[in-house]
Amino acid sequence: MHKELRVAAYAVCVRDGQLLLARWVAGDGSKRWTLPGGGMEHGEDPYDTVIREAEEETGYTVRPVTLLGVDSIRRRYPRKLGTFADFHGLRLVYEGEITGGTLRNETDGSTDMASWHPLDAVPRLPRVGLVDVGIGLWRERPAVGRVDTGR
């Protein structure tokens, strides 16, 4: 089985009771809301990753305020020629503050839209699990940097 590790950094940006989200487009064309952020480039610091990715996906300049925590996921999925991948995602989640820029949608990327959503409306959105993890970290601020998600 092929092993894959992906390290990524994301921002939880809350302003006036609203959460900034980007709409991720999966390979099958389905769309779900996610936190702005994404994969680290080789040699890149995660702090710089979250700044770069948030700007690419939303148009905003984001200042990471604090590291809220780390989320680790593991999935198995099919690959070409009947093989499988053992995927491990390590996701660093920062609280982010908008310091500049203008809201806009990403073009030619993994997301197609960026917008603000009232926090109380987020549970009704089609979203990836990372959104709930990020909100949990932001609300609870656990000393160990991990929210028990029941996994």
Side-chain angles (χ1 to χ4, degrees), residues 7-9 36-42 44-62 64 104 106:
V7 181
M40 284 177 48
E41 295 176 359
H42 182 78
E44 186 177 37
D45 186 280
Y47 186 91
D48 298 324
T49 300
V50 73
I51 293 168
R52 175 183 55 78
E53 285 283 345
E55 193 281 327
E56 287 175 6
E57 293 180 353
T58 71
Y60 285 126
T61 303
V62 171
R104 61 146 176 78
E106 181 178 29

Side-chain angles (χ1 to χ4, degrees), residues 32-84:
R32 291 181 287 161
W33 293 99
T34 189
L35 297 176
M40 284 177 48
E41 295 176 359
H42 182 78
E44 186 177 37
D45 186 280
Y47 186 91
D48 298 324
T49 300
V50 73
I51 293 168
R52 175 183 55 78
E53 285 283 345
E55 193 281 327
E56 287 175 6
E57 293 180 353
T58 71
Y60 285 126
T61 303
V62 171
R63 181 179 71 86
V65 176
T66 189
L67 178 64
L68 294 171
V70 177
D71 184 56
S72 179
I73 60 166
R74 200 155 171 208
R75 294 196 176 102
R76 183 176 184 260
Y77 66 88
R79 292 177 48 97
K80 294 178 184 175
L81 305 174
T83 61
F84 285 86

Side-chain angles (χ1 to χ4, degrees), residues 70-144:
V70 177
D71 184 56
S72 179
I73 60 166
R74 200 155 171 208
R75 294 196 176 102
R76 183 176 184 260
Y77 66 88
R79 292 177 48 97
K80 294 178 184 175
L81 305 174
T83 61
F84 285 86
D86 178 4
F87 173 81
H88 181 194
L90 185 65
R91 305 175 309 182
L92 293 85
V93 182
Y94 291 88
E95 179 177 14
E97 176 184 284
I98 306 299
T99 60
T102 304
L103 181 65
R104 61 146 176 78
N105 299 329
E106 181 178 29
T107 55
D108 299 323
S110 60
T111 66
D112 70 345
M113 183 184 292
S115 63
W116 292 93
H117 298 269
L119 279 166
D120 61 356
V122 171
R124 295 184 298 281
L125 294 173
R127 65 197 183 285
V128 300
L130 178 63
V131 173
D132 297 331
V133 169
I135 291 172
L137 288 167
W138 178 76
R139 284 188 172 139
E140 297 176 27
R141 300 182 183 268
V144 296

